Amino acid sequence: MNLNNLNVKELRKFAGELKIPGRWDMNRGQLEHAIERTVLIEEATKLGIEMPYSKTIEELKQAIADQRQKIAKMQEMLRKEREVTEKFMEPENAPTESVEETPKKKKNGRTRVINVFKDGELIETIEGLMETFKWVTDNNITNVGWVKRSLKTGEETNAGYKYKIGGYKFEYAN
């Protein structure tokens, strides 16, 4: 919003809508400053930024820009994670071609059995990698990337932002 295009009467009216105290005693410059600051503080609050009111307008603008950048990065990470998950998961609500249930055809190759350990204790044995991916997703344990990493390196999963509990280890059964 360009406050320069508004006259003092319009600025006071806008300041009243924002519930800025003392607006009747302010001159044009003070009104513009108070309005800009109030709008920035409201935007920062909507973005979840807790800032003391003693911050300058430039500090507020920088904090808002930083938060928007963090949100954009998180959205991009979530989009990539969704793509990976969709790539390895069968759609649950896929339409079936016939009413009769046909047995699943076994693909060429082997189906490997995967053991799931939690803090060193075997808690689940799952047949097939895709079933393991489905199990971890349904039980909100970790993402597909951590399953693959654990199978490859033997590492336990770490707790994170989305998955609060770590300590799961995935191994191929012999």
Side-chain angles (χ1 to χ4, degrees):
M1 167 177 274
N2 190 357
L3 300 176
N4 295 330
N5 296 338
L6 301 177
N7 61 36
V8 175
K9 185 177 180 180
E10 293 168 330
L11 286 172
R12 282 202 177 99
K13 182 179 178 187
F14 187 41
E17 292 170 5
L18 296 173
K19 297 180 175 68
I20 296 174
R23 60 187 170 276
W24 294 106
D25 298 327
M26 294 182 186
N27 62 30
R28 178 181 189 80
Q30 291 170 328
L31 282 167
E32 288 174 351
H33 181 80
I35 289 170
E36 184 178 12
R37 181 174 178 73
T38 303
V39 168
L40 287 171
I41 289 172
E42 285 179 4
E43 186 175 355
T45 303
K46 286 178 185 174
L47 290 172
I49 303 170
E50 293 185 25
M51 295 191 69
Y53 283 91
S54 61
K55 295 287 185 180
T56 66
I57 287 179
E58 293 306 315
E59 290 172 324
L60 285 167
K61 287 180 181 178
Q62 184 62 46
I64 289 169
D66 292 346
Q67 187 69 6
R68 283 187 177 149
Q69 190 175 17
K70 286 178 189 176
I71 290 170
K73 283 181 182 178
M74 287 173 47
Q75 288 173 337
E76 180 64 19
M77 287 173 44
L78 286 171
R79 184 190 63 76
K80 287 180 180 178
E81 187 174 317
R82 257 187 255 117
E83 286 176 3
V84 170
T85 304
E86 288 171 2
K87 183 178 177 183
F88 290 104
M89 298 292 294
E90 294 178 2
E92 293 176 358
N93 299 324
T96 56
E97 292 180 10
S98 65
V99 179
E100 301 174 18
E101 278 197 35
T102 56
K104 288 186 178 180
K105 292 181 181 177
K106 195 166 187 176
K107 293 181 181 177
N108 292 340
R110 62 179 176 210
T111 301
R112 298 178 84 175
V113 176
I114 298 170
N115 292 327
V116 183
F117 296 90
K118 171 69 172 140
D119 300 325
E121 184 177 326
L122 179 66
I123 60 166
E124 190 75 32
T125 300
I126 305 168
E127 186 172 327
L129 189 58
M130 296 306 285
E131 291 299 315
T132 305
F133 292 158
K134 184 173 177 7
W135 183 80
V136 296
T137 305
D138 290 346
N139 292 299
N140 205 23
I141 290 174
T142 189
N143 62 28
V144 171
W146 265 109
V147 173
K148 293 186 332 187
R149 182 175 175 172
S150 181
L151 286 168
K152 186 175 183 179
T153 65
E155 287 182 68
E156 289 186 351
T157 61
N158 288 334
Y161 175 74
K162 186 173 180 181
Y163 304 101
K164 305 292 185 206
I165 300 171
Y168 289 91
K169 184 176 175 183
F170 300 86
E171 290 181 351
Y172 290 113
N174 291 337

